[in-house]
Structures are given as structure tokens and as C-alpha cells.
């Protein structure tokens, strides 16, 4: 598994251009007018990880299989979307299905590209998006209160717990604050997630800057970075135009182009890393003659559950995990070298998987 990231923004901020570049497809129409994206476009992309190629070379793997990230490009929101303005609730529903939301914010000046509200102000744009999502959540929750109260009168204990969580979110939303700020214990996380609140999802601010600002950002992106820091949200600076140009170049020419612009890597790599960090995700590997493969799990996942990502039978019949740290695997030229050096460990059911672990699971049929 990777993760599913919804891309939202006001019209004409470069959202669909960025989506097209990231997925190297023309699935979304990138046009200089609102609502050109009528249906949410979905793009599945491999997660770039240079460690995977190194493992494949050592294990002499016939195939390399990266983990994958799904981008969902959702049509441009406008003020009043929660009340059906533009294409409104049709798109808000698609946001409920993603793990995190990337707010694409216009941080560039261009008189040829019309802003839907006639100005360039990424903070105001972020507030417009957040407000519409909060209003949609508020409406959704207020509709559910009388239904839950009726169930509680019928002695429904689960409804009582749900209503308590719902009211906690309502206090925030009525105060103009997103539901993700609610104090929710670990035991309540699953129930809180089941409320399906748009503003409970982690947010990644994507500052779409002009080409000259791609390396260091600009005054607009600096304001967004300050906002993200204050909120504990993720933030990256990216030029959708550069990403679009990169997508059209052969792989061997991309490095040269990036170097000319003073960039070390494509924006996609940074977007994925920031997304993983935001969601607390890590990568472990399996490597052998058949394939070298990357797998994504949540930080804190124990070995049996990590095995279950490969196949449910692996989790049910889990015996142990033969574990080698990535650095040891590379330094000692693979499994045999790591075993000889005492760096191959046998870990049991309580082992918490670490980022970069190279694992081989033993399980009973």
C-alpha cells in the first residue's frame, strides 16, 4: 500500500497542471478556466526510492516493484462550494476517500492566468478551501445529531460514544476550526475516522511558484510555510510548470535540467516524502532473485501486521521475521554476508518494523 492523496485548490492555481505532471498523463484537462475537471481524475504513480535499486542489484532481482501512491485530482473549489456553488458537493464527497489532502496554493504572479477572486493571496485561498470543508463537515454533523439522539433514547451505547465524539468536533467547527484539532485518544481514533470528516484529514500545503522561485521559494510561499509551521501541517515549494516540463523529458535529461535550475530532485519526490512524514508512513523491503519490492506501513506497525500487507496468510501464520537493516544489507553485500556478520536478526511478534528493514517472513500454512 502507499497512500491516497487528494489534490484540491481554487480554479487556475496550477492544480491540474501539477496532477498531469506528477502522473505523467493528460488525464486531467489543464485549462485556464474554472471547473475544467468535471470528474475526479485518479493517477497511480510509483514511489521513487533509490534504496530499491541498490537492493535489487545485490539480490540480482529479476524485477523491481516499488510501492505506489495514488493522486486524486478534485475539481477546483470556490467560495460557496459547500452550498453547491460551482460543482460543490459533488467534489466534496471525493475528498472523504483520501488519506491526506494537498492544498495547492497559487504563489506566482501571472497576468495571463486569471485568479477566480482577482488577486494572488495564498493564505486567503487556503482559508477559502478550509472554510468550505468546515462548512460541509458542520452541515453533515448537525444532520446526524437528532438521529444519534434518537438511538441513544433506545439505549444504543455505540450511538452515545459516537455523539460524544461528534459534539467534540462540532465545538471546533462552530468556532471556525478544523476537526483535526480535536483531542482524540488512541482508542477513539477508529471511531473518529469513521465520522468521515473532511477537516479531520492531515493537510499538506503545496506552494505552486514560478520557475525562478522553485529552488528558494518567494514571499508568497514564505507566508504559507509560516502558516504550516504554526499548524503542524506539511509544506513544500514546487513549480508545476517545471514538473510539467520534466515529465516530457527523457530520464537521462531530467538530472541535467534540474541541475540547471538549482534543484536536486523532482518535486514529486519531495511531495511523497512530506506526505509519508505527515501520515507517519515508513517503507520496508523484500529482496530475492525473483523481485525486490517496497512495502508501505504505518510507523509503529509490528511484524505480523507488516507481513499481512503482503498476504493475510502471512499474518495469520506468522512465526518470525528474518530482519536486516538496509545499511547492513548493502554494506555486507546481501543476506549471506549479513548472516555471517551476525547482522541478520530473528524477530518475533512484538517487533516494531523500522524504515528500511529488509524482511523475510516465516509463517505456518
Amino acid at each position: 500500500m502507499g497512500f491516497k492523496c487528494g489534490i484540491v485548490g481554487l480554479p487556475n492555481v496550477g492544480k491540474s497542471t501539477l496532477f498531469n505532471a506528477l502522473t505523467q498523463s493528460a488525464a486531467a484537462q489543464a485549462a485556464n478556466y474554472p471547473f475544467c475537471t468535471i470528474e475526479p481524475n485518479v493517477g497511480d504513480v510509483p514511489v521513487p526510492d533509490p534504496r530499491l535499486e541498490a537492493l535489487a542489484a545485490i539480490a540480482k532481482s529479476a524485477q523491481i516493484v516499488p510501492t505506489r501512491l495514488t493522486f486524486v485530482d478534485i475539481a477546483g473549489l470556490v467560495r460557496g462550494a459547500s452550498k453547491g456553488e460551482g460543482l460543490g458537493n459533488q467534489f466534496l464527497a471525493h475528498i472523504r476517500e483520501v488519506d491526506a489532502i494537498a492544498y495547492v496554493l497559487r504563489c506566482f504572479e501571472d497576468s495571463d492566468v486569471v485568479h477566480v477572486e482577482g488577486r494572488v493571496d495564498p493564505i486567503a485561498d487556503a482559508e477559502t478551501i478550509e472554510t468550505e470543508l468546515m462548512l460541509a463537515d458542520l452541515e453533515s454533523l448537525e444532520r446526524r445529531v437528532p438521529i444519534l439522539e434518537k438511538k441513544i433514547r433506545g439505549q444504543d451505547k455505540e450511538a452515545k460514544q459516537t455523539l460524544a465524539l461528534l459534539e467534540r468536533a462540532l465545538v471546533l467547527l462552530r468556532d471556525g476550526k478544523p476537526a483535526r484539532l480535536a483531542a482524540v485518544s488512541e482508542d477513539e481514533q477508529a471511531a473518529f475516522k469513521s465520522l468521515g470528516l473532511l477537516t479531520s484529514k492531515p493537510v499538506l500545503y503545496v506552494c505552486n511558484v514560478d520557475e525562478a522561485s522553485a529552488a528558494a521559494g518567494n514571499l508568497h510561499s514564505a507566508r504559507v510555510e509560516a502558516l504550516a509551521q504554526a499548524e503542524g501541517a506539511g509544506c513544500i515549494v514546487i513549480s508545476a510548470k517545471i514538473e510539467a516540463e520534466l515529465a516530457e523529458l527523457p530520464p537521462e535529461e531530467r538530472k541535467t535540467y534540474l541541475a540547471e535550475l538549482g534543484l536536486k530532485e523532482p518535486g514529486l519526490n519531495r511531495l511523497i516524502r512530506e506526505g509519508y512524514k505527515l501520515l507517519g508512513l515508513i517503507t520496508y523491503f523484500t529482496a530475492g532473485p525473483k523481485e525486490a519490492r517496497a512495502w508501505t506501513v504505518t510507523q509503529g506497525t509490528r511484524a505480523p501486521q507488516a507481513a499481512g500487507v503482503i498476504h493475510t496468510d502471512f499474518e495469520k501464520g506468522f512465526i518470525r521475521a528474518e530482519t536486516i537493516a538496509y545499511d547492513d544489507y548493502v554494506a555486507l553485500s546481501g543476506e549471506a554476508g549479513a548472516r555471517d556478520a551476525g547482522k541478520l536478526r530473528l524477530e518475533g511478534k512484538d517487533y516494531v518494523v523500522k524504515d528500511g528493514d529488509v524482511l523475510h517472513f516465516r509463517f505456518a500454512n
Side-chain angles (χ1 to χ4, degrees):
M1 77 173 222
F3 69 93
K4 188 180 278 191
C5 183
I7 301 179
V8 300
L10 300 186
N12 301 338
V13 298
K15 177 179 61 65
S16 292
T17 300
L18 180 63
F19 173 83
N20 288 346
L22 294 177
T23 58
Q24 296 188 25
S25 75
Q29 297 177 56
N32 184 19
Y33 56 91
F35 318 125
C36 64
T37 314
I38 304 303
E39 293 296 332
N41 291 280
V42 178
D44 209 32
V45 300
V47 174
D49 194 326
R51 295 177 296 180
L52 197 52
E53 291 183 14
L55 292 174
I58 292 168
K60 296 182 172 57
S61 306
Q63 191 178 6
I64 293 176
V65 185
T67 188
R68 303 191 74 79
L69 162 64
T70 301
F71 285 111
V72 182
D73 179 30
I74 298 160
L77 288 171
V78 291
R79 196 180 301 278
S82 60
K83 301 297 180 188
E85 290 295 321
L87 292 169
N89 293 325
Q90 182 180 345
F91 301 111
L92 296 174
H94 298 301
I95 303 173
R96 298 188 199 281
E97 301 166 11
V98 302
D99 300 306
I101 307 176
Y103 289 9
V104 181
L105 304 174
R106 178 171 171 169
C107 294
F108 65 88
E109 305 278 351
D110 188 338
S111 58
D112 292 333
V113 181
V114 179
H115 189 287
V116 73
E117 294 193 358
R119 44 96 184 114
V120 177
D121 186 343
I123 303 300
D125 288 357
E127 287 171 356
T128 297
I129 296 167
E130 190 98 290
T131 298
E132 293 307 318
L133 300 187
M134 285 192 291
L135 288 171
D137 280 346
L138 193 58
E139 185 185 350
S140 167
L141 293 186
E142 287 179 337
R143 277 203 314 265
R144 292 162 71 176
V145 169
I147 298 167
L148 288 167
E149 287 175 339
K150 186 178 179 181
K151 287 184 176 180
I152 289 167
R153 288 195 291 274
Q155 306 301 310
D156 188 322
K157 289 183 180 178
E158 189 177 326
K160 191 175 181 180
Q161 293 169 340
T162 302
L163 183 62
L165 279 175
L166 188 150
E167 287 177 336
R168 216 178 295 171
L170 274 175
V171 168
L172 286 164
L173 292 165
R174 285 169 178 158
D175 196 30
K177 296 174 182 173
R180 60 181 169 274
L181 299 180
V184 180
S185 70
E186 197 171 327
D187 293 341
E188 296 172 320
Q189 287 290 348
F192 188 68
K193 189 175 181 180
S194 72
L195 294 177
L197 299 177
L198 306 174
T199 62
S200 68
K201 299 179 187 297
V203 167
L204 171 61
Y205 292 114
V206 179
C207 303
N208 183 18
V209 299
D210 56 278
E211 291 166 284
S213 304
N218 57 27
L219 292 175
H220 292 307
S221 65
R223 291 176 64 211
V224 178
E225 287 172 338
L227 173 67
Q229 193 169 8
E231 292 181 351
C235 184
I236 68 159
V237 173
I238 194 168
S239 168
K241 194 171 181 184
I242 288 174
E243 296 301 315
E245 289 167 356
L246 276 172
E248 294 176 3
L249 291 175
E252 61 274 11
E253 290 180 27
R254 290 178 191 174
K255 284 186 181 179
T256 306
Y257 183 53
L258 285 167
E260 287 172 358
L261 295 166
L263 299 170
K264 293 179 181 177
E265 60 183 347
L268 171 64
N269 298 26
R270 288 180 287 117
L271 179 57
I272 290 170
R273 269 205 311 276
E274 201 60 44
Y276 267 52
K277 182 179 169 186
L278 193 65
L279 290 168
L281 300 175
I282 61 169
T283 301
Y284 79 84
F285 303 101
T286 53
K290 184 180 175 184
E291 66 178 28
R293 184 185 285 253
W295 306 88
T296 300
V297 294
T298 306
Q299 205 163 11
T301 298
R302 297 187 187 279
Q305 287 70 50
V309 172
I310 299 176
H311 199 288
T312 52
D313 288 350
F314 283 25
E315 181 176 355
K316 289 174 187 172
F318 179 88
I319 299 172
R320 65 177 182 269
E322 296 177 0
T323 309
I324 307 168
Y326 170 79
D327 288 343
D328 290 334
Y329 191 99
V330 172
L332 298 164
S333 301
E335 187 177 323
R339 183 185 287 109
D340 293 344
K343 294 295 184 179
L344 185 153
R345 312 185 310 275
L346 301 180
E347 302 287 1
K349 291 182 178 180
D350 291 332
Y351 177 67
V352 176
V353 173
K354 307 290 188 300
D355 184 62
D357 276 351
V358 183
L359 301 175
H360 181 73
F361 296 109
R362 298 291 183 185
F363 68 103
N365 291 317

